[in-house]
Amino acid sequence: MSQVAGQQRLNRVLAAAGFGPAESTTGMINGGRVAVNGQVARDPKARADPFRDAVTVDGEPLPLDNACRYILLNKPYDVLCAFTDEQGRPTLADCCLLLSTRPLLLAAR
């Protein structure tokens, strides 16, 4: 594997793909169930980029739909920094739901 900015520890890559917490994916790696670019990986600290490297678990490729996506939104003045409002005012959900079909988490400053 090449050293690129998108690389992460293999157990974290598996956790982000929905295989459980990083601690529990270590057993999968140690058991030889995970391969990176066709090579069986047995070190949970090995690094992989899920978008550039071919990572497989039990021969099946990782589902990339669970990868995090970030939306940077310059919130309009009259929009609430919330996902719901009992008074029916416009919220971030109204803006962001047009951009993503996946569940969103709010991180505001």
Side-chain angles (χ1 to χ4, degrees):
M1 281 184 293
S2 61
Q3 292 292 336
V4 293
Q7 289 191 340
Q8 303 169 22
R9 288 175 56 159
L10 192 52
N11 58 352
R12 291 186 186 199
V13 170
L14 295 176
F19 286 96
E23 299 81 22
S24 68
T25 59
T26 300
M28 297 170 59
I29 299 166
N30 291 337
R33 297 175 53 195
V34 180
V36 179
N37 297 327
Q39 300 289 330
V40 175
R42 294 193 185 272
D43 181 10
K45 295 180 183 177
R47 294 190 168 272
D49 182 340
F51 298 103
R52 294 185 184 203
D53 295 319
V55 181
T56 59
V57 176
D58 296 330
E60 297 293 321
L62 284 186
L64 294 179
D65 335 355
N66 292 339
C68 295
R69 293 189 181 112
Y70 298 89
I71 299 173
L72 178 65
L73 175 69
N74 193 3
K75 181 185 81 63
Y77 177 76
D78 60 343
V79 174
L80 292 177
C81 193
F83 272 106
T84 59
D85 181 49
E86 294 174 359
Q87 299 174 11
R89 298 174 287 190
T91 66
L92 284 179
D94 299 328
C95 299
C96 294
L97 291 179
L98 299 174
L99 302 172
S100 178
T101 57
R102 302 178 59 215
L104 297 172
L105 298 176
L106 173 64
R109 62 168 200 107

